[in-house]
Amino acid sequence: MIYPEGFLWGTSTSAHQVEGQNVHNDWWDFERRFTPSGAACAFWEHFEADLDRARALGTNAFRMSLEWSRVEPAPGARDEEAAAHYERILLACRERGLRPILTLSQFTLPRWCAAAGGWLSDETLVAFERHARWVGERYGDLVDHFVTVNEPNVQGGAGYVSGVFAPGTRFRPDLADRCEDALVRAHVAAYRALHEAVARRHPAARIAVGPSPHVIAWRKSPWDPLGVFLRLGARFNWRFVDAVVASAPETLDFLGMNYFMGSPAHLMGALRIAGLAARPMKAGTSEMGWPIDAKGFEEALLDAHRRYGRPIVVTENGIADSTDALRPAFLRDHLAALDRAIRAGARVRGYCHWSLVDNFEWHEGYGPRFGLYAVDYATQERTLRPSGELYRRLIEERTTKELVR
Ligand code: BGC
């Protein structure tokens, strides 16, 4: 088999995008400029049924994030009910044979951290390290894969250049870099705190910890004859991981990777992706205007492998496609690219499709639909899309004999 024993086949979600009523974080205030997230997918209440759905896809892993502001709504104040609720969710994953991949930070911060200066403040870093230690103590026997920070390379630019993410500051690339540098420190501190806490509190448990950068398959292109965007793109992809490897190489048990797109076909496309221009739809792109590029997925995996040689977990890959017209081919082509990358030597240990259900797409609100299950937000009903059934079959094929070398 080309897929190693224990390969993680999963779907991916994040707390603020599915749970609903995350009233104590910075996005709850920020999103009023766009679309309030409100009840989102009511995953907080209906997690059992959604985990049944994940199970029905034949997956054995489930990626979710823990909303820090729920368990620590005020500095040092623990919400025990929320903490116990997360324990119930993680147990429900395990009961269904879904190994949880738990993310500590996916774009939101408790409001009190944001008020102290967000990631630009040392107070946040100190609090995040303390939080990671608590998470390790509390859940270290239920979770074996932790993602410290999701898309640290997006957070800075979206928060401080385009301003489409909280805190909504624009045109401050200096602050974007400072934010990314702070997230390097946050990752290293959380990595150490998690391992230390788990070794002390759950000595029998074995955990793997890594970050999940967003990686784009940038290529040479006629509209970029001097390769300026190519260089900026490589910086975007790897600046964070390079800094981790330079300062604390032991803190990468695995490299998470979120892959959605290839190089934009023109300068406007690049500006749109960066949130700096509006977004009309184009053929060959998703409903987000993101260029579909399965070959680029293979290249990105091999690029990461050559650069760092670490085990890789694909923590997100998916497409905004409300009619499910493009997703089936997207899935087939991207999993074929994954097959090729593994055959060529990339040490991929898992693949999680973004997303299990349609959900709150940040500043884009509820328009883009990434789910293998469609959500009717008026009734919270879910409907399996044909691509969900296809994903189940593609996983099945890969766990039977067809892919024997
Ligand atoms: C993020 C998710 C987001 C997805 C689709 C990633 O950039 O980690 O939170 O919903 O892509 O845009």
Side-chain angles (χ1 to χ4, degrees):
M1 303 289 288
I2 67 160
Y3 284 85
E5 187 71 23
F7 191 87
L8 302 166
W9 288 106
T11 53
S12 202
T13 61
S14 94
H16 191 71
Q17 296 179 267
V18 297
E19 287 177 353
Q21 307 300 337
N22 269 313
V23 300
H24 298 300
N25 72 30
D26 55 347
W27 265 84
W28 189 258
D29 305 326
F30 178 70
E31 70 201 20
R32 280 166 205 281
R33 305 180 192 182
F34 311 104
T35 308
S37 56
C41 310
F43 177 80
W44 191 248
E45 289 81 27
H46 302 306
F47 64 93
E48 289 181 310
D50 277 344
L51 295 175
D52 287 342
R53 293 183 181 99
R55 181 70 203 134
L57 298 176
T59 54
N60 62 4
F62 181 68
R63 177 167 176 250
M64 54 182 268
S65 71
L66 187 137
E67 176 59 42
W68 179 9
S69 64
R70 276 197 192 266
V71 294
E72 194 177 356
R78 188 68 55 208
D79 183 331
E80 187 41 47
E81 175 43 36
H85 196 81
Y86 275 119
E87 199 170 320
R88 287 193 284 276
I89 299 177
L90 294 170
L91 281 167
C93 288
R94 300 218 79 105
E95 281 160 12
R96 289 163 179 76
L98 300 168
R99 291 166 67 185
I101 300 172
L102 189 66
T103 305
L104 265 53
S105 158
Q106 185 138 354
F107 300 145
T108 59
L109 277 174
R111 190 181 279 117
W112 53 270
C113 284
W119 289 113
L120 302 183
S121 141
D122 282 350
E123 271 176 59
T124 300
L125 290 172
V126 170
F128 187 63
E129 179 174 7
R130 187 184 65 214
H131 172 63
R133 183 165 296 112
W134 175 83
V135 170
E137 287 171 359
R138 179 87 196 210
Y139 307 110
D141 55 341
L142 296 175
V143 176
D144 41 29
H145 287 76
F146 288 95
V147 172
T148 50
V149 286
N150 179 71
E151 302 195 346
N153 56 334
V154 167
Q155 176 72 58
Y160 296 95
V161 179
S162 63
V164 294
F165 279 17
T169 303
R170 302 196 68 173
F171 307 122
R172 291 295 306 270
D174 56 323
L175 297 185
D177 280 358
R178 263 183 61 197
C179 176
E180 194 177 87
D181 293 344
L183 288 165
V184 170
R185 291 167 60 202
H187 160 76
V188 171
Y191 176 98
R192 291 181 177 148
L194 282 165
H195 271 291
E196 183 272 316
V198 172
R200 181 166 37 77
R201 192 62 67 87
H202 308 287
R206 292 285 165 273
I207 63 166
V209 183
S212 284
H214 182 111
V215 178
I216 295 179
W218 299 94
R219 296 222 178 75
K220 283 204 191 91
S221 135
W223 62 267
D224 181 25
L226 301 177
V228 176
F229 277 78
L230 195 64
R231 278 195 296 281
L232 285 174
R235 182 184 195 272
F236 167 82
N237 283 352
W238 305 124
R239 181 179 180 272
F240 173 90
V241 191
D242 284 347
V244 170
V245 168
S247 61
E250 77 288 359
T251 66
L252 271 188
D253 298 334
F254 67 89
L255 178 62
M257 185 192 285
N258 293 355
Y259 177 84
F260 288 87
M261 66 184 112
S263 263
H266 41 68
L267 177 62
M268 270 313 274
L271 296 177
R272 275 182 209 123
I273 289 166
L276 292 167
R279 165 176 67 81
M281 290 210 347
K282 280 267 167 4
T285 68
S286 74
E287 286 173 6
M288 300 283 281
W290 292 353
I292 299 168
D293 187 349
K295 175 84 182 134
F297 185 32
E298 176 188 355
E299 289 166 12
L301 289 165
L302 289 170
D303 191 15
H305 173 65
R306 279 189 293 265
R307 293 179 76 99
Y308 310 109
R310 311 290 170 120
I312 299 170
V313 177
V314 178
T315 37
E316 292 181 24
N317 170 240
I319 179 168
D321 175 23
S322 52
T323 60
D324 212 37
L326 303 175
R327 192 177 290 101
F330 179 99
L331 251 178
R332 269 186 215 290
D333 295 349
H334 282 73
L335 291 192
L338 181 66
D339 299 342
R340 291 195 301 272
I342 294 177
R343 283 206 173 93
R347 300 166 61 201
V348 187
R349 299 290 179 262
Y351 171 91
C352 295
H353 193 79
W354 182 273
S355 178
L356 176 66
V357 288
D358 292 337
N359 59 52
F360 177 70
E361 182 54 30
W362 306 110
H363 63 296
E364 308 266 355
Y366 288 104
R369 289 179 176 262
F370 279 90
L372 295 172
Y373 286 87
V375 174
D376 177 338
Y377 292 109
T379 60
Q380 290 297 352
E381 254 172 72
R382 275 73 158 143
T383 310
L384 183 65
R385 292 198 163 104
S387 52
E389 171 55 23
L390 174 66
Y391 186 40
R392 193 191 63 70
R393 278 194 280 123
L394 293 172
I395 294 175
E396 199 174 74
E397 272 174 30
R398 281 163 177 74
T399 42
T400 56
K401 294 181 197 61
E402 279 179 39
L403 288 172
V404 171
R405 261 187 228 264

